[in-house]
Amino acid sequence: MSQATVLYDAPGPKARTRSRIISVLGVLALAALLGWVVWRLIQPQVAVNGNETPGMLDPSRWDVLAYSEVWQYIGRGAWNTIRAAAVAMVGAMLLGMLFVFGRLADSALVRVPVAVILEFFRGMPVLLMMLFILLVASTGAFWAVVIALIIYNGAIVGEALRAGILALNKGQREAGLSIGLTPVRTRLLIEFPQAFTQMLPILVAQMVVLLKDTSLGYIVAYSELAKTVKDASTFYGNRYLFTFWVVAVVIYLAINLTVSWFGRRMARFAAARGGRGAGATKGLAGPAAAEAGGEIAITPPPGSSAR
């Protein structure tokens, strides 16, 4: 008899055999699909008028990548994408922190207006926001893209951090207040670091979305990577359209995977530091324990009996 686990019974011999068969069939199906895609890309393209052009993988469609000016042009587009995304990421994090303090304020005069503004920004399409900022504020293409990304993603980050703070044990806030910290310092020194660590995977995913949203900068004529690739394919001819878009996909994947890797490193570092901080502050009381970021333990006065 199979031993029961927490969620389900351990699979028996028949279930394991069936699982292996399904896995093999799935791998074969994926290999067949990949082979069909490659075969279709190799086949010559026949137009309506009967003209035949080489397949997508033909060397004549990739010779344009041998020109250094092509890579310089694409490199400028990639740099513009990274530059706009980096500035927008920092701004979105700072704006998200402000939204958190506003949404969790004790006064309704602050909390309600911030909630209305936040919901408005969350519901506004980024594309229209970029165009509106460019036409109304005349900021230029770069700042129209950056400001729109900061506003929209700042609202998302703020809601994520607010959810992380609300998920914390209320004893965290009560302990901070009991040792003399102000409500703002309690939220900043005790609640916010823990919420940031817990919500870091969501924040990293949102930063990847932010980076991809820089491609919407074409609406304000910002020369980011996607617009650069489109302009290059127009200049060199549509026969190189597939080539340039493959290059763009590879660059986007490299940048996004780098951001994801950096986020995972940050998460591990924060978890390790949190563990060391908890051990270092165990048994401490007062502002020093709160500022250390670890667990707060109120030491009983001498002579009292701890139950």
Side-chain angles (χ1 to χ4, degrees):
M1 181 181 296
S2 61
Q3 295 180 353
T5 60
V6 177
L7 298 179
Y8 55 88
D9 291 337
K14 292 184 178 180
R16 289 195 296 268
T17 302
R18 185 164 52 249
S19 177
R20 294 192 190 98
I21 294 175
I22 294 175
S23 300
V24 171
L25 292 178
V27 171
L28 293 177
L30 290 176
L33 179 61
L34 180 61
W36 178 81
V37 171
V38 173
W39 178 79
R40 287 291 300 169
L41 293 175
I42 294 176
Q43 297 304 308
Q45 306 295 316
V46 180
V48 178
N49 55 8
N51 293 334
E52 183 175 299
T53 57
M56 296 297 180
L57 300 182
D58 191 86
S60 63
R61 287 183 176 268
W62 298 84
D63 56 1
V64 69
L65 299 181
Y67 302 138
S68 60
E69 57 269 19
V70 171
W71 288 107
Q72 292 175 4
Y73 188 65
I74 295 176
R76 285 195 295 270
W79 166 245
N80 288 336
T81 292
I82 296 174
R83 183 167 61 110
V87 177
M89 286 177 185
V90 176
M93 287 295 181
L94 297 177
L95 183 61
M97 291 178 60
L98 295 178
F99 278 137
V100 168
F101 284 99
R103 286 284 279 121
L104 297 178
D106 295 330
S107 176
L109 296 177
V110 177
R111 187 174 61 252
V112 174
V114 170
V116 173
I117 294 173
L118 191 145
E119 292 299 329
F120 174 78
F121 286 153
R122 289 179 61 192
M124 177 68 68
V126 183
L127 194 69
L128 296 181
M129 199 178 299
M130 291 180 183
L131 186 60
F132 178 81
I133 293 173
L134 179 69
L135 296 179
V136 175
S138 301
T139 57
F142 173 77
W143 286 110
V145 172
V146 169
I147 294 174
L149 292 176
I150 288 175
I151 292 175
Y152 177 78
N153 291 278
I156 303 297
V157 168
E159 285 296 277
L161 292 177
R162 184 174 73 92
I165 291 177
L166 293 178
L168 295 176
N169 193 319
K170 293 182 179 181
Q172 299 286 334
R173 183 171 180 81
E174 294 173 355
L177 296 176
S178 67
I179 61 177
L181 294 180
T182 63
V184 174
R185 292 197 67 193
T186 300
R187 184 147 290 156
L188 186 62
L189 298 177
I190 297 179
E191 294 180 299
F192 182 77
Q194 298 181 65
F196 183 83
T197 302
Q198 291 182 4
M199 305 305 291
L200 192 57
I202 297 177
L203 298 179
V204 172
Q206 188 60 36
M207 293 303 102
V208 172
V209 173
L210 182 152
L211 192 147
K212 292 187 292 184
D213 282 346
T214 57
S215 61
L216 300 176
Y218 76 89
I219 194 66
V220 294
Y222 181 62
S223 297
E224 42 75 41
L225 180 58
K227 185 177 185 300
T228 299
V229 167
K230 183 177 181 300
D231 293 343
S233 62
T234 302
F235 179 80
Y236 287 98
N238 289 333
R239 66 182 290 116
Y240 297 113
L241 179 62
F242 178 79
T243 303
F244 285 124
W245 281 115
V246 169
V247 173
V249 168
V250 171
I251 295 175
Y252 272 120
L253 286 176
I255 298 174
N256 290 334
L257 291 176
T258 302
V259 173
S260 300
W261 170 83
F262 182 73
R264 290 194 297 269
R265 291 294 299 270
M266 284 184 59
R268 287 196 293 266
F269 175 77
R273 185 177 181 182
R276 289 195 299 269
T281 58
K282 185 177 180 180
L284 295 179
E291 292 177 359
E295 295 180 354
I296 299 174
I298 305 301
T299 305
S304 62
S305 59
R307 294 182 179 181

